[in-house]
Amino acid sequence: MSKIKLMSHLVAGYPTDELALTAARALVAGGADILEIQLPFSDPSADGPAIQGACTEVLSRKYRTSDGLSFISKIHEEFPNIPIYIMSYGSLVYTPGIENFCKKASEVGVKGMIIPDLPFDFDEGLTEACKKNGMINIPVAAPSMSSERLHKMAHFGFPYIYAALRTGITGTDTTIDDATIAFLNKVSEGGSKIYGGFGISNGEQSQALASSVDAVVAGSVFVRIIEANKNDKEKLFSVVKEKAAEITHL
């Protein structure tokens, strides 16, 4: 049985730091290669209902960016060889100063930043601040982008690009068809490696993507599993692990 890389998404602190850490352990046990940790944000533009609901719940506890970074630090200490990327939104990174934010993120073990609402060519200095602190900026490509803009991003020199497999928000099922593969080919034509996500929830989808991406990205599926099993820590671990294994093992 072959394996595809999985970048799995978690909301920091959801539903508690302890259960989020349990989920992270389960993801790694199930074969996740990269952990994408979302810092909860009050007005997300790309997240579907599952992730929005999780963010709202965490923020209702007065959870702050510093709490999210402490949570990431714990995961990094336990899994120093698993790359951790922060996913969040521009204002959260911009408000404390992008250079300052990137320094703090790097200090807790973060290896990359995914900030979907910062345009790749007007990123307020994010790419440079990442480089300065030993991280990478991973821009987001969407099928709704013009051919010219997509071409520009593909040839901009990013090591990795996150390809959103369809327009809209995360969390609803995505069909992998010829148009999806053609889009991924365009995104990768400049030599960037591709992370493909949005609506990935099963092994069949990851099989269809395997030859076109460096890793599949799955998020809402895990948030929904965590939500459904948050009152049973052992079951949460086993179901998250099982789903990660299904998505990664082809």
Side-chain angles (χ1 to χ4, degrees):
M1 184 179 272
S2 60
K3 183 181 179 300
I4 187 169
K5 280 190 196 171
L6 169 64
M7 176 159 80
S8 52
H9 175 287
L10 273 180
V11 175
Y14 180 73
T16 64
D17 274 13
E18 183 191 355
L19 288 171
L21 192 53
T22 298
R25 289 171 179 146
L27 288 165
V28 174
D33 302 271
I34 303 159
L35 294 176
E36 177 193 14
I37 310 291
Q38 177 162 352
L39 296 179
F41 188 69
S42 58
D43 190 25
S45 56
D47 299 321
I51 293 174
Q52 280 192 41
C55 286
T56 300
E57 192 174 316
V58 176
L59 289 170
S60 73
R61 305 199 319 257
K62 305 287 189 283
Y63 203 83
R64 303 178 66 83
T65 297
S66 56
D67 299 316
L69 293 175
S70 296
F71 170 69
I72 288 169
S73 179
K74 285 179 195 163
I75 294 179
H76 178 63
E77 282 169 24
E78 193 164 332
F79 302 107
N81 297 322
I82 298 283
I84 296 173
Y85 299 153
I86 279 180
M87 183 264 153
S88 197
Y89 291 91
S91 65
L92 195 146
V93 177
Y94 184 80
T95 303
I98 284 180
E99 178 77 44
N100 180 37
F101 185 94
C102 286
K103 184 172 184 295
K104 286 182 176 174
S106 175
E107 284 169 354
V108 297
V110 174
K111 296 298 179 198
M113 305 283 286
I114 301 168
I115 312 294
D117 60 343
L118 274 183
F120 72 94
D121 46 356
F122 294 97
D123 68 2
E124 304 291 348
L126 180 63
T127 299
E128 281 309 308
C130 282
K131 281 180 187 168
K132 192 172 175 182
N133 289 282
M135 302 187 298
I136 53 171
N137 178 29
I138 303 160
V140 178
S144 56
M145 291 170 74
S146 69
S147 295
E148 294 79 13
R149 191 151 179 76
L150 205 53
H151 183 270
K152 185 180 179 186
M153 180 189 278
H155 293 269
F156 216 71
F158 291 105
Y160 293 90
I161 296 174
Y162 182 134
L165 300 176
R166 56 174 168 70
T167 55
I169 56 174
T170 62
T172 51
D173 270 349
T174 296
T175 303
I176 313 300
D177 55 19
D178 290 346
T180 312
I181 303 303
F183 166 65
L184 291 170
N185 289 339
K186 280 184 191 172
V187 180
S188 65
E189 70 179 14
S192 302
K193 291 183 178 179
I194 306 304
Y195 298 135
F198 258 51
I200 300 302
S201 60
N202 60 60
E204 195 178 326
Q205 291 168 306
S206 53
Q207 181 110 36
L209 288 169
S211 60
S212 302
V213 300
D214 188 64
V216 294
V217 188
S220 293
V221 62
F222 292 117
V223 176
R224 286 194 291 266
I225 289 170
I226 293 164
E227 166 67 26
N229 297 283
K230 61 185 178 184
N231 296 320
D232 186 337
K233 189 175 174 182
E234 287 184 13
K235 191 178 178 199
L236 185 154
F237 182 92
S238 65
V239 181
V240 169
K241 178 184 173 184
E242 192 177 295
K243 177 54 76 173
E246 178 204 331
I247 293 172
T248 58
H249 292 86
L250 305 174

